[in-house]
Amino acid sequence: MAVTGWMESLRTAQKTALLQDGRRKVHYLFPDGKEMAEEYDEKTSELLVRKWRVKSALGAMGQWQLEVGEPAPLGAGNLGPELIKESNANPIFMRKDTKKSFQWRIRNLPYPKDVYSVCVDQKERCIIVKTTNKKYYKKFSIPDLDRHQLPLDDALLSFAHANCTLIISYQKPKEVVVAESELQKELKKVKTAHGNDGDCKTQ
């Protein structure tokens, strides 16, 4: 029922689409004023970016909040070489999904795999990452499961470590896979602008 409710919200949202640089960019405007912007690979339909924007209590537009995709370097253009180098050494957290899994990458974690603990916290509905040497701790949710009101399952969670990057995967429940497939069918109905004919209001 929850999945249907979320899909209905997507269907009824005002949508605009733009095909640019090999990406299909879709902008959603919901009745409550919230905005969501997504970018898909034109050929594979793989989700590359998802971000949200909401109005403040005074009605002003807020900043875009990234949910999926690689974050832009924060003010890198204004930093000196030393600060940039220091910043690049800090762990960088990002989400990059595959067709079958939600996936997160945490770069700049040089410790061996057996140092990491990755588990589901059922009470707080989140995933917790920590190290036995107490050098890193991260707690994050899976908004997709919250929107679909689906439970978190430890059995669907796995992780790997290579090249100083911790890769955490959570297999998508069948309900999510079906919903994403339905959404792609829905998006094909949206009239799409090309090139510089317009923008998707994602900036």
Side-chain angles (χ1 to χ4, degrees):
M1 194 70 181
V3 174
T4 304
W6 171 238
M7 282 303 301
E8 188 59 29
S9 296
L10 294 177
R11 287 193 185 101
T12 57
Q14 181 181 330
K15 295 182 283 292
T16 55
L18 171 68
L19 199 59
Q20 188 177 51
D21 302 325
R23 295 188 176 201
R24 182 180 177 86
K25 302 179 179 182
V26 185
H27 176 268
Y28 305 77
L29 178 61
F30 297 95
D32 61 2
K34 285 184 182 178
E35 294 177 75
M36 182 175 77
E38 294 183 323
E39 296 183 17
Y40 293 90
D41 184 287
E42 180 188 353
K43 294 180 179 178
T44 65
S45 296
E46 179 183 342
L47 177 65
L48 303 174
V49 174
R50 179 187 291 138
K51 51 189 177 180
W52 290 84
R53 184 164 68 174
V54 298
K55 289 184 178 180
S56 70
L58 299 176
M61 294 309 302
Q63 296 292 316
W64 284 103
Q65 301 297 319
L66 193 68
E67 181 180 312
V68 178
E70 188 163 6
L74 202 57
N78 300 323
L79 298 177
E82 299 83 3
L83 287 175
I84 291 175
K85 185 175 180 181
E86 182 180 346
S87 174
N88 287 344
N90 292 331
I92 299 171
F93 178 85
M94 64 170 286
R95 176 174 156 185
K96 183 179 178 4
D97 292 353
T98 68
K99 284 285 188 182
K100 297 182 178 180
S101 298
F102 303 120
Q103 194 172 90
W104 301 263
R105 294 169 184 262
I106 310 174
R107 298 176 183 157
N108 299 332
L109 288 180
Y111 320 114
K113 183 180 178 181
D114 58 9
V115 167
Y116 303 97
S117 166
V118 181
C119 62
V120 165
D121 185 321
Q122 297 286 359
K123 185 178 293 186
E124 294 196 30
R125 288 185 56 80
C126 65
I127 294 174
I128 295 177
V129 182
K130 54 187 176 181
T131 58
T132 55
N133 60 12
K134 299 183 179 179
K135 296 286 187 181
Y136 186 79
Y137 180 90
K138 180 77 175 178
K139 181 166 67 173
F140 58 93
S141 63
I142 308 179
D144 307 72
L145 298 188
D146 292 339
R147 287 191 285 266
H148 293 318
Q149 296 180 24
L150 294 171
L152 276 73
D153 185 349
D154 243 321
L156 301 179
L157 185 65
S158 62
F159 71 96
H161 186 268
N163 301 319
C164 294
T165 300
L166 186 67
I167 303 170
I168 302 162
S169 299
Y170 187 98
Q171 184 180 329
K172 293 177 181 177
K174 61 182 180 181
E175 293 92 339
V176 171
V177 174
V178 169
E180 290 180 345
S181 177
E182 288 297 314
L183 176 59
Q184 288 305 311
K185 294 176 185 176
E186 190 70 25
L187 292 180
K188 288 179 180 178
K189 303 175 186 176
V190 180
K191 185 178 179 181
T192 304
H194 291 261
N196 296 318
D197 294 345
D199 201 342
C200 258
K201 307 176 187 174
T202 61
Q203 299 301 319

